[in-house]
Amino acid sequence: MIPDKFLKPYNPQETEERIYNLWEESGFFDPNSLPTERYTQSTTIPLNAKRFSIVMPPPNVTGVLHMGHALMLTLEDIMVRYKRMRGFKTLWLPGTDHAAIATQARVEKDIYKAEKKSRHDLGREEFLKRVEAFAKESHDTITSQIRVMGASCDWSREAYTLDEKRSLAVRTMFKMMHDDGLIYRGHRIVNWDPKGQTTISDDEIVYEERKTKLYTFRYSKDFPIPIATTRPETKLGDVGVAVHPDGKWKQYIGQTFEIPDFAGISLSIKIVGDSAVDPEFGTGAVGLTPTHSFTDWEIAGKHNLNKELVVINERAKMTDKAGPHSGKKVAEAREAVVAWLKTEELLEKEEEVAHNIATAERTGGVVEPLPKLQWFINVNEPIAEREGKTLKDLMREAVQSGDIKILPDHFEKIYFHWIDNLRDWCISRQIWYGQRIPVWYRKKAKGKNQNAKLEEEEIYVGVEAPEETGWEQDPDTLDTWFSSGLWTFSTLGWPEKTKDLEMYHPTDVLETGYEILFFWIARMVLMTKYALGSVPFRTVYLHGTVRDGQGRKMSKSLGNGIDPIDVAKKFGTDAGRMALIVGNTPGTDMNISEDKIRGYKNFANKLWNIARFVVENTKGEALEEGFSGYTERDAKLREERHAMFIDVTKDMEAYRFYMAAEKLYHDAWHTFADKILEESKKILKSGTPEEQKSRRQLLLHTLDKLLRALHPFIPFVTEEIWQLWKQPSAKDGMLMVAEWPISESL
RNA sequence: GCGCGGUUAGCUCAGUUGGUAGAGCACUCGAUUUACACUCGAGAUGUCGCAGGUUCGAGUCCUGCACCGCGCACCA
């Protein structure tokens, strides 16, 4: 009568993998395979019908899952399981991200450690083989770990940002944007990472505050304006000085000073007036180094100053333009210039200041601004097909109009602020692992002249390579966020017009960490509004960072990390999921400790014993639909549960999962178990037959509904109890596809 | 510099539209062998950062301040 299993404590280790396999083999992760009677009748294209879709933010194939992934997977699985139980044809599409620069950097490091070889020693082809092997292994680990988390995603639709279909989408998008004049190749100052030997976007920069020296000097004895700088070595590339048009130096505007000897080279310094200069700050004048400073490049452009004088190269060494300093590292050149200024008595002041230096997010290299020929996306170009709006406009209006809602909503302000400050997006990278830029070049003799010096370059931009010979593809790859930007629709089959695309796009929710709001969310809005004219998702749910018990970031060096797979082994996935959800509001960082997780392991066992009690005390009696013989007391208890479920459903609809989880936890443990089960002991022992019958039905009813409501949060233990208790004869009887405890639509 | 968030019980945090402060952990006392020791019952603990204001009533709304954290910009 009572399954023996109930006589022992709940054992997640024995249960979870078996239950996951049961779900996966049922095929119900694929919305097309959901039981027809509940799911397909009401669902037709186009998609005003009951369907729900989430595309999983693809974990990077750089290693293993961490607690942040566990939180993401739990939140998404809760939404997906909830909607599925509510009768929505539900798709959760999983995938992984090649994470170009991150993966390449990781593999380069490994290879260097083991073999003392660089990627150049191996060559492009061999190196890519190594990266792919690493990515494959990492992928396999990650996808099996996603299964351990209980994620009910549709593996039959799994995607990779670098697989064939996604590559086609990327090339198609590149061509479209190029044809519309949104992608251009330009010689501009970019962020160069000397360590990674590649350009990076503005968003890939991390500022670090360091102490540095601020030097105030003059180019020569008779130069009238003192100049301050933290980088004396770049002054070898100065072509001018900018002062405020109405400031104290305005009398010099328009003059050019020839400096025959500045630390061994000659300079020609023109004084220009520009309102970008703050007359109150520093000396009220800025030495202009157009090739090694973003603002100087802009100012130089406005005043037609020389933008060719490059004194630092890609290896962060001085070029031959630096005269006697040529070949020196920047730090050495800095010392040399400072020493020279001292000897010549041109150094007026030397002070210690706190200074933000730009470093590359992935490699930690100190970013060197350099002018280079790169590919960019123009965010300020009006697009004819989009009513003359710019990409910035499209990003802004998607949120302004309310088509996209961001939770918590204060991130909307941060989003707008970012757009306001956005510059053209540099999308070309000098790394090997990634989407190769779909551009080909061919040298062509100009006119009839056969002189090789008069060749000009032809450019071909296409989805496929040109058929004629003689073309060479651009060696660069695309910023990984270019392919990520297409994720919601490239995964559904775009550029083909697939049924999936029609059915599941726009997706309903994009759930991810707030730290990639700009990197990813904004880029998805950009790409989707441009390519499809629609938004990629309706709601953005941003979760916070998972920290340790004391609120510290989890890190390898601190050794305070909690591994979600260890949690699953030690306490069960359900316990870990519950611990991540209760008390976790969107946008707020949360702390998690083993103590907290242990508490929810106990909860799973509590639920297990509640079920045991109910099964033991109802002796095989079935739950009777429409039973009407409840006593007054039991009818009231039933009503209270119903009200609680309505309350919880409202929380679910409003994305208050932390609250729904806590209410269910409290109701199951401290009301159902502590009060209702306790008083049932007396009733079932000494009540009238009517009272006993009523109470048995109440117990069956309440357990049934509680299991349903708790399933999205703790899917394994609820399904296991359900299977043991109900012993469904067909897979349709699984809790995973059972109805949510209430049917009211709220 | 501009902007955002936080400040509530010893700890970690909830508190949806203003109506006599909540949870988990920790703590104290007690219970118990037929659902569960991965247990049960009882209990203690907070001038809700500070100062004003609006209101019959403020943890909740408004203003100012302090401290902590974050984003962006500047970074000559």
Side-chain angles (χ1 to χ4, degrees):
Chain A
M1 181 67 56
I2 304 147
D4 288 346
K5 254 190 191 168
F6 274 136
L7 301 177
K8 283 181 260 167
Y10 173 62
N11 179 356
Q13 290 75 22
E14 183 278 326
T15 307
E16 294 184 346
E17 193 181 345
R18 178 169 43 78
I19 293 288
Y20 193 87
N21 290 337
L22 188 74
W23 292 328
E24 194 171 355
E25 281 156 22
S26 76
F28 294 154
F29 291 168
D30 177 353
N32 293 340
S33 306
L34 284 165
T36 41
E37 96 195 57
R38 267 194 75 205
Y39 289 93
T40 44
Q41 284 169 358
S42 64
T43 314
T44 46
I45 295 173
L47 35 82
N48 44 8
K50 288 174 79 177
R51 47 110 253 182
F52 183 81
S53 62
I54 292 184
V55 177
M56 183 188 293
N60 291 350
V61 289
T62 46
V64 295
L65 292 191
H66 56 248
M67 235 34 204
H69 293 118
L71 174 59
M72 167 187 99
L73 293 167
T74 301
L75 282 164
E76 290 171 26
D77 199 43
I78 287 170
M79 297 185 217
V80 161
R81 286 183 186 271
Y82 167 70
K83 285 291 180 178
R84 195 185 286 120
M85 292 179 84
R86 292 226 88 181
F88 286 66
K89 202 166 175 180
T90 302
L91 171 64
W92 185 16
L93 197 154
T96 47
D97 192 331
H98 71 285
I101 200 165
T103 309
Q104 168 157 333
R106 167 68 203 269
V107 175
E108 276 186 288
K109 207 171 149 190
D110 288 356
I111 291 175
Y112 189 78
K113 217 171 161 188
E115 305 169 36
K116 296 275 175 282
K117 281 182 182 167
S118 76
R119 71 188 214 235
H120 299 283
D121 295 332
L122 295 174
R124 188 163 188 151
E125 204 180 325
E126 172 61 20
F127 179 72
L128 281 180
K129 269 190 202 160
R130 303 277 196 101
V131 181
E132 273 153 22
F134 173 86
K136 170 82 173 63
E137 201 184 315
S138 185
H139 161 271
D140 294 349
T141 307
I142 285 168
T143 50
S144 77
Q145 291 181 331
I146 292 174
R147 287 177 165 89
V148 171
M149 295 295 104
S152 60
C153 51
D154 178 11
W155 294 105
S156 72
R157 285 176 169 83
E158 190 192 341
Y160 183 48
T161 53
L162 203 55
D163 64 21
E164 217 164 285
K165 286 185 174 168
R166 265 44 69 180
S167 300
L168 174 68
V170 164
R171 296 196 304 273
T172 306
M173 180 65 92
F174 189 98
K175 169 108 173 90
M176 271 175 72
M177 296 184 101
H178 182 266
D179 291 352
D180 282 345
L182 295 173
I183 288 183
Y184 67 93
R185 196 182 191 207
H187 185 74
R188 283 199 7 204
I189 189 159
V190 293
N191 305 302
W192 179 261
D193 170 13
K195 207 166 174 187
Q197 287 292 301
T198 181
T199 54
I200 58 173
S201 68
D202 294 346
D203 298 288
E204 287 166 293
I205 287 177
V206 180
Y207 289 97
E208 278 178 29
E209 193 174 291
R210 288 191 197 166
K211 286 240 159 108
T212 189
K213 279 181 179 157
L214 179 68
Y215 302 93
T216 306
F217 72 100
R218 286 174 205 258
Y219 294 105
S220 65
K221 284 255 158 57
D222 52 357
F223 194 80
I225 310 171
I227 300 295
T229 183
T230 54
R231 302 200 57 191
E233 75 281 10
T234 64
K235 300 293 105 184
L236 297 165
D238 278 14
V239 298
V241 165
V243 300
H244 194 273
D246 303 317
K248 58 186 166 185
W249 308 113
K250 68 178 176 187
Q251 62 189 104
Y252 299 106
I253 292 172
Q255 293 185 35
T256 300
F257 292 81
E258 298 300 334
I259 318 290
D261 178 22
F262 179 77
I265 65 163
S266 65
L267 292 178
S268 176
I269 303 292
K270 187 178 182 191
I271 316 297
V272 298
D274 197 293
S275 53
V277 179
D278 179 354
E280 305 300 322
F281 189 86
T283 65
V286 183
L288 295 174
T289 322
T291 59
H292 302 294
S293 153
F294 278 86
T295 42
D296 294 4
W297 174 270
E298 269 172 43
I299 295 174
K302 278 189 270 178
H303 302 280
N304 287 316
L305 298 174
N306 174 11
K307 287 170 34 177
E308 307 290 319
L309 184 56
V310 178
V311 293
I312 298 170
N313 70 15
E314 286 86 349
R315 300 261 162 208
K317 288 186 176 164
M318 305 309 286
T319 66
D320 51 12
K321 297 268 181 61
H325 306 287
S326 169
K328 285 180 187 166
K329 289 182 184 167
V330 290
E332 294 165 359
R334 182 176 308 177
E335 280 175 33
V337 172
V338 170
W340 181 86
L341 287 170
K342 280 181 182 164
T343 355
E344 299 295 315
E345 294 181 347
L346 292 170
L347 190 62
E348 301 190 346
K349 209 165 35 167
E350 189 178 328
E351 53 194 316
E352 191 124 294
V353 292
H355 183 74
N356 283 333
I357 63 155
T359 65
E361 188 200 21
R362 291 295 174 185
T363 64
V366 175
V367 171
E368 195 66 65
L370 282 181
K372 294 191 75 73
L373 186 60
Q374 297 291 326
W375 290 95
F376 296 89
I377 290 182
N378 188 335
V379 293
N380 292 308
E381 175 77 16
I383 310 162
E385 290 75 13
R386 296 278 170 261
E387 302 160 6
K389 288 172 182 157
T390 66
L391 290 173
K392 269 191 182 185
D393 294 335
L394 294 180
M395 283 190 274
R396 203 180 281 114
E397 77 176 14
V399 175
Q400 233 155 25
S401 65
D403 290 348
I404 296 177
K405 284 202 169 54
I406 302 180
L407 291 175
D409 59 5
H410 69 257
F411 277 99
E412 293 184 357
K413 281 186 192 166
I414 298 174
Y415 174 86
F416 292 133
H417 190 237
W418 176 81
I419 293 173
D420 292 341
N421 288 301
L422 187 62
R423 290 185 291 195
D424 283 2
W425 173 15
C426 177
I427 51 171
S428 45
R429 296 288 180 275
Q430 290 66 53
I431 58 172
W432 292 342
Y433 191 56
Q435 298 281 358
R436 190 95 173 246
I437 291 181
V439 176
W440 288 261
Y441 308 98
R442 182 163 71 172
K443 294 271 197 276
K444 185 175 140 190
K446 195 177 185 181
K448 290 174 186 169
N449 196 327
Q450 297 300 305
N451 188 333
K453 282 180 184 169
L454 285 176
E455 280 181 341
E456 70 175 23
E457 197 175 52
E458 275 186 292
I459 289 193
Y460 177 89
V461 178
V463 175
E464 304 300 339
E467 286 177 9
E468 314 100 272
T469 53
W471 291 96
E472 212 165 303
Q473 189 170 7
D474 194 311
D476 288 357
T477 51
L478 287 166
D479 181 1
T480 185
W481 300 102
F482 188 98
S483 55
S484 313
L486 321 184
W487 191 239
T488 61
F489 55 90
S490 69
T491 51
L492 293 170
W494 189 89
E496 276 180 62
K497 287 188 173 157
T498 60
K499 274 195 168 178
D500 270 4
L501 192 60
E502 208 178 340
M503 180 82 158
Y504 297 109
H505 204 274
T507 63
D508 289 274
V509 180
L510 187 278
E511 192 289 320
T512 190
Y514 61 73
E515 69 277 3
I516 53 175
L517 179 62
F518 311 139
F519 276 127
W520 193 37
I521 294 171
R523 264 74 182 260
M524 283 196 282
V525 176
L526 181 159
M527 293 293 194
T528 317
K529 285 284 280 184
Y530 164 69
L532 307 184
S534 73
V535 294
F537 31 69
R538 308 268 182 218
T539 301
V540 176
Y541 182 108
L542 296 171
H543 64 247
T545 308
V546 184
R547 296 165 180 275
D548 75 0
Q550 283 110 58
R552 300 173 303 179
K553 270 201 167 172
M554 292 187 184
S555 73
K556 278 181 192 162
S557 54
L558 276 175
N560 61 343
I562 297 179
D563 175 0
I565 305 304
D566 285 350
V567 169
K569 281 189 195 140
K570 211 164 161 185
F571 305 105
T573 292
D574 286 331
R577 286 170 63 119
M578 203 66 182
L580 281 168
I581 293 306
V582 174
N584 183 3
T585 50
T588 310
D589 292 353
M590 64 137 1
N591 301 350
I592 194 158
S593 59
E594 288 212 346
D595 280 344
K596 189 171 180 188
I597 301 168
R598 189 174 297 111
Y600 293 106
K601 178 181 193 282
N602 297 351
F603 177 58
N605 191 55
K606 187 71 185 179
L607 199 62
W608 184 254
N609 282 290
I610 288 171
R612 175 178 161 186
F613 179 90
V614 172
V615 171
E616 274 180 351
N617 287 283
T618 51
K619 301 187 171 63
E621 181 171 320
L623 173 60
E624 294 169 24
E625 286 300 324
F627 176 76
S628 57
Y630 286 115
T631 61
E632 200 178 320
R633 166 78 182 155
D634 290 353
K636 185 175 162 253
L637 290 172
R638 194 170 173 277
E639 270 311 302
E640 278 174 14
R641 293 313 109 237
H642 187 69
M644 188 271 297
F645 288 128
I646 285 183
D647 208 24
V648 164
T649 306
K650 283 180 186 162
D651 289 334
M652 298 300 283
E653 293 291 333
Y655 303 94
R656 291 190 298 259
F657 308 115
Y658 58 99
M659 226 172 205
E662 194 177 330
K663 282 175 186 164
L664 289 169
Y665 171 94
H666 198 267
D667 199 77
W669 197 319
H670 300 297
T671 305
F672 190 45
D674 290 350
K675 302 208 162 62
I676 299 176
L677 258 49
E678 284 306 317
E679 72 176 32
S680 298
K681 289 175 184 171
K682 276 180 232 150
I683 295 170
L684 295 173
K685 199 174 168 193
S686 50
T688 64
E690 290 74 23
E691 284 168 345
Q692 292 193 12
K693 169 78 179 172
S694 165
R695 184 48 64 121
R696 284 197 301 272
Q697 284 296 314
L698 178 77
L699 294 179
L700 291 168
H701 172 85
T702 309
L703 177 63
D704 179 278
K705 299 279 186 189
L706 262 179
L707 289 175
R708 293 169 193 259
L710 280 164
H711 182 256
F713 300 92
I714 44 173
F716 290 110
V717 65
T718 48
E719 182 76 72
E720 172 74 347
I721 292 171
W722 186 269
Q723 294 286 330
L724 286 169
W725 178 33
K726 305 253 177 177
Q727 301 183 351
S729 52
K731 65 180 186 180
D732 292 16
M734 288 197 310
L735 179 55
M736 178 194 163
V737 289
E739 270 181 76
W740 180 250
I742 66 159
S743 53
E744 291 96 322
S745 57
L746 298 169

